[in-house]
Structures are given as structure tokens and as C-alpha cells.
Amino acid sequence: MARRSETYDSGAAGTVEAGGLPEIAVTSTGLPGWLDPVAEAARSVRPEQLSRFLPPESGAGRQSAVLILFGEGEKGPELLLMERAGSLRSHAGQLSFPGGALDPADGDPKSAGPLRAALREAEEETGLDPSGVQVFGVLPRLYIPVSDFVVTPVLGWWREPSPVGVVDPAETASVFTVSVADLTDPANRVTSVHPRGHSGPAFLVGPALVWGFTAGVIDKILHYAGWERPWDRSRQVPLDWHA
């Protein structure tokens, strides 16, 4: 399979953005073979294949990014997730990828800004050392209507793992990894049902539930990477299931 290397800034390799910001390389060189299907999916997937909620054509929305970080643990491939603090204004208490809104210092939202934001936010929320992360793909921008976020999902390989944990309890309640084997286990797959009636894919992770935007992205990655196993979509769980 051909591998690809690119940068998300204009100019030749080694140049910098206006303002002196360094380039962010996006490369699949050196990835473990099991990540090849994810990298290939990132190159070919279309926005409408990931979500029915796409960024407004007007360009409105709060530009943000998340880091979808793959590592390798005792049970094989795994993902880094966090539990958001219960006091936050948006998506309080939810399990999510590290991420957040772009800062002006991150640079151009249409270039490498989202990549820098994803790595910066991951460091701020989990203590992750971004120098150990290899960015190997970027998924199409998606939209979260309830918070007006336009989200760029950035795919990373945890090439050199570093210690992670809660940095600021006001933002993060816990930081943890979950194995892909557990995410694909049909016993851990359910359909979440919101009190307002809408539903979507969800994952049982220990005593918690991954639902909403994060679960939707994981669901699509598993599907388009060919990792999905048949599961009972009629098995429903209300969002207050743990109460």
C-alpha cells in the first residue's frame, strides 16, 4: 500500500507559516501495519459518510479540533479518551477525545491550525507530550449543533507514549485508554437514546457510556477501517442508564 506524506501549510517542506509557525507534517510513514486501514479511510472518506451534521455553508461555527490518538497497550491497539469535568458549560461529564476550540496562536483554521489545536489541547488536558505523536491523517470537518462547534478530527499515532493524567480538574475528570478490542466487542455496543428521542451508536466503557459525537466518530472509524463486528443495534440504553 502506498504511503503518503504531506504538510498542512503552504510552501515547501521546512518553511513556516506567516507569523513564524512551524509546519505540521502529516505522514503515514512508519505506522504499524494495523493502522493502515485507518490511514486509508482518512484519505478516502467523505464528510457525509461520517455524519449528517456538516459545517454550515456560511462558514459560521466555532472552529475546534480533537485528537484521535491511537496507541498500543497490553490488549493491543487502543484509543486515548478523557472524561470532561462536570462543571464545564459544553458537554459536561461526557467521555470524549482530547480537544477544544482553536486559539489565534494556533494559526490558520484552514491550514495547520486545527492540527496545532488538537495537540495543544491534548497536552493541556492530559499532560500528553505532543512530540511523541505522529499525525497521520485528518478527517473531514464535522459539526456539533448543540454547541456550534465545527470540529476537525486529527488522527495520531502515539509513537512515543508519555505519562498522561488530569492536569486541570476544572476541565478534566479523568484520563484513560480503551482498547479497540473492547470497543469492537458486541457486548459493549449499544444504541443510546436521548431524552429528546434521538438515538445514536454508543459504547459501554467500564461503568461509563461513550455517546454523542465521540461515539459517532469511533463507530465510523471502526466501520471504514474494517474493524467493526456485527452487533445488536436494537439494544438500547437511555442516557441516564447508570443513575
Side-chain angles (χ1 to χ4, degrees):
M1 178 180 296
R3 295 182 182 270
R4 185 178 67 168
S5 178
E6 60 183 311
T7 59
Y8 267 64
D9 297 90
S10 58
T15 63
V16 296
E17 276 190 358
L21 294 174
E23 288 182 338
I24 301 284
V26 179
T27 177
S28 56
T29 301
L31 287 182
W34 56 264
L35 267 177
D36 282 345
V38 181
E40 180 58 33
R43 288 190 281 266
S44 59
V45 71
R46 300 187 302 275
E48 61 271 17
Q49 292 177 298
L50 295 177
S51 176
R52 63 189 178 94
F53 298 113
L54 303 181
E57 294 183 1
S58 66
R62 303 165 63 191
Q63 295 295 323
S64 64
V66 296
L67 179 64
I68 304 175
L69 183 60
F70 290 89
E72 194 154 11
E74 294 181 358
K75 296 180 67 174
E78 60 185 17
L79 279 172
L80 180 68
L81 295 177
M82 53 173 273
E83 179 186 359
R84 294 170 58 83
S87 59
L88 292 175
R89 291 173 55 189
S90 298
H91 310 290
Q94 290 189 24
L95 303 188
S96 69
F97 304 117
L102 269 67
D103 286 346
D106 293 322
D108 187 354
K110 296 181 180 179
S111 183
L115 282 68
R116 295 191 187 93
L119 294 171
R120 174 185 55 75
E121 286 282 345
E123 181 177 16
E124 293 176 358
E125 293 175 331
T126 74
L128 171 80
D129 181 356
S131 68
V133 175
Q134 175 181 332
V135 176
F136 69 89
V138 181
L139 296 179
R141 289 179 173 86
L142 304 175
Y143 186 55
I144 305 179
V146 67
S147 55
D148 196 34
F149 278 121
V150 175
V151 186
T152 299
V154 178
L155 300 171
W157 158 237
W158 211 351
R159 188 185 64 252
E160 298 177 8
S162 55
V164 292
V166 174
V167 176
D168 182 356
E171 290 193 7
T172 309
S174 64
V175 178
F176 59 96
T177 58
V178 59
S179 72
V180 171
D182 285 343
L183 292 170
T184 58
D185 186 342
N188 296 327
R189 301 218 56 181
V190 294
T191 295
S192 65
V193 181
H194 194 277
R196 295 181 179 176
H198 54 264
S199 61
F203 300 83
L204 298 171
V205 177
L209 184 73
V210 182
W211 63 283
F213 175 84
T214 302
V217 173
I218 293 175
D219 172 70
K220 295 303 184 183
I221 289 175
L222 297 181
H223 175 74
Y224 288 109
W227 293 348
E228 185 178 36
R229 297 166 59 188
W231 59 284
D232 184 2
R233 297 174 186 271
S234 68
R235 183 184 173 203
Q236 297 185 340
V237 172
L239 292 185
D240 59 354
W241 67 283
H242 58 285

